[in-house]
Amino acid sequence: MTYLKTLQNLMDFYFFGFFLSMIVILSLYIFGIVGSFNDLLLGLSRTGLEKHSIDQQEVIYLNVFIHLIQFALFFAILLFFRRVVDGFSVGNVFNLSTRKNLKYMGLCTTVYGLLKMLVKVCVLNMFGEGNTIFSLEFTGFGSTYFITCLGLMFIYMSIVLEKSAILQKENELTI
Amino acid sequence: MKIIINLDVMLAKRKMRSNELAESIGITKANLSILKTGKAKAIRFSTLEKICDVLDCQPGDILQFEED
C-alpha cells in the first residue's frame, strides 16, 4: 500500500528529526546545568511556573525535570507509533507486537496528557492562575484533555485488535 | 460437550483417500487435516454439503455429539 509507505517515510523523517533535536536539547540542558546558565535552562523549559515569585533555582530544576519527562514520553510515543506503522506496513495488523506497541503508545500518551494537565491545572492553580484553565480543561476544550482522551483511544484500539485477533484465529479454523 | 468428526470412518467405508476428498470438495489438505483432527472451530454448511455429496452420507454420519 503506497499510502502506508508514505506514512512510514514521513514517520521516519519526523522521528529522526525529533531524535536529533532531542540530542541537541539534552546537550544544552547538560551545558546549562554544568555551567549554571539559568537563562538558558529557563528558556528551554517554560511551563508557566517561572512567572511566579518562588525560588528561582527550584523553579528551574522543576521546569527542567518536567520538560525532560515530557520529552522522554513524547519520544516513547513516536517510537511506539513508528513500530505500529512498521507492523501495519508488513501486514502484521493483529499480531501481539503491534497490539503491545499500540497499547504502550496509548499509555505514554495518556500519561503525557495527565502530566501536562497536572502542571497546568494543579500547579498553576496554586498561584491563582488556574481557575480559568481548570474550567477549560475539564469542559473538554483543553488540549491536555484531548491528549489524554487520545491516549485512552489508542489503548481501546489495542483491545479491539486483540478481540479481532481472536476472531481472525476462529475464522482461520472455520473450514 | 464435544462434537466429534468421524471423517476417517466414512473415508474408510467409501475407500477414499484424504487428498482425494480434499480435492473433490475444494479445500486444502491442511484444512481437511484440521477438520479430521478436531481442531476446527466451525464448519460451513457449504463445506458440509460438499462432503456429504462426495461421500454419499448424512451429516449425522460425520458429526457426533459426545458429552464430557
Side-chain angles (χ1 to χ4, degrees):
Chain A
M1 289 181 233
T2 325
Y3 68 90
L4 264 179
K5 194 71 192 163
T6 310
L7 181 65
Q8 206 176 355
N9 291 336
L10 274 171
M11 198 60 235
D12 284 344
F13 177 73
Y14 188 61
F15 179 77
F16 286 113
F18 181 79
F19 183 71
L20 287 172
S21 68
M22 200 175 75
I23 290 174
V24 169
I25 290 190
L26 279 174
S27 307
L28 287 171
Y29 270 137
I30 292 168
F31 178 67
I33 289 168
V34 166
S36 299
F37 297 117
N38 291 339
D39 288 340
L40 173 66
L41 293 173
L42 271 176
L44 289 171
S45 63
R46 292 191 179 280
T47 59
L49 285 170
E50 61 279 351
K51 289 186 279 185
H52 300 281
S53 54
I54 54 175
D55 188 272
Q56 191 74 347
Q57 208 58 42
E58 277 181 13
V59 167
I60 291 166
Y61 288 142
L62 191 60
N63 272 2
V64 169
F65 178 68
I66 290 168
H67 199 221
L68 283 174
I69 291 180
Q70 286 176 346
F71 230 126
L73 282 170
F74 195 70
F75 180 73
I77 291 165
L78 287 181
L79 183 69
F80 289 129
F81 185 44
R82 188 163 172 263
R83 286 181 185 174
V84 168
V85 171
D86 284 347
F88 278 11
S89 66
V90 295
N92 294 333
V93 179
F94 303 117
N95 71 345
L96 188 63
S97 69
T98 305
R99 290 185 337 242
K100 271 189 174 175
N101 286 323
L102 194 58
K103 184 177 157 188
Y104 294 148
M105 189 172 94
L107 283 168
C108 289
T109 309
T110 309
V111 170
Y112 181 81
L114 287 173
L115 182 63
K116 276 183 90 75
M117 199 186 288
L118 193 73
V119 171
K120 258 190 178 180
V121 174
C122 298
V123 179
L124 292 178
N125 203 32
M126 280 180 347
F127 300 100
E129 190 183 307
N131 290 326
T132 310
I133 296 168
F134 187 89
S135 59
L136 272 176
E137 291 297 331
F138 280 86
T139 52
F141 292 104
S143 61
T144 58
Y145 186 82
F146 172 75
I147 292 167
T148 312
C149 287
L150 191 67
L152 294 173
M153 193 180 80
F154 288 141
I155 295 170
Y156 182 71
M157 275 168 63
S158 73
I159 296 169
V160 169
L161 283 183
E162 192 182 331
K163 295 200 184 297
S164 304
I166 294 168
L167 287 174
Q168 188 201 32
K169 201 175 171 186
E170 279 191 8
N171 190 49
E172 279 171 2
L173 292 173
T174 299
I175 311 298
Chain B
M1 48 189 180
K2 233 162 81 168
I3 300 288
I4 312 289
I5 311 280
N6 296 321
L7 211 47
D8 283 333
V9 174
M10 283 313 300
L11 282 169
K13 280 185 181 177
R14 299 289 181 258
K15 294 183 177 58
M16 191 184 280
R17 286 187 292 184
S18 302
N19 50 359
E20 284 175 26
L21 177 65
E23 209 177 306
S24 305
I25 63 176
I27 65 171
T28 60
K29 283 187 279 187
N31 279 350
L32 188 67
S33 174
I34 288 170
L35 200 56
K36 276 170 58 181
T37 53
K39 288 177 188 166
K41 291 283 180 193
I43 183 166
R44 295 186 182 90
F45 280 138
S46 54
T47 308
L48 187 58
E49 191 185 314
K50 285 175 192 170
I51 292 172
C52 293
D53 187 32
V54 169
L55 295 178
D56 188 27
C57 63
Q58 290 293 313
D61 297 328
I62 303 166
L63 304 170
Q64 183 188 336
F65 169 70
E66 198 176 85
E67 282 205 40
D68 287 334

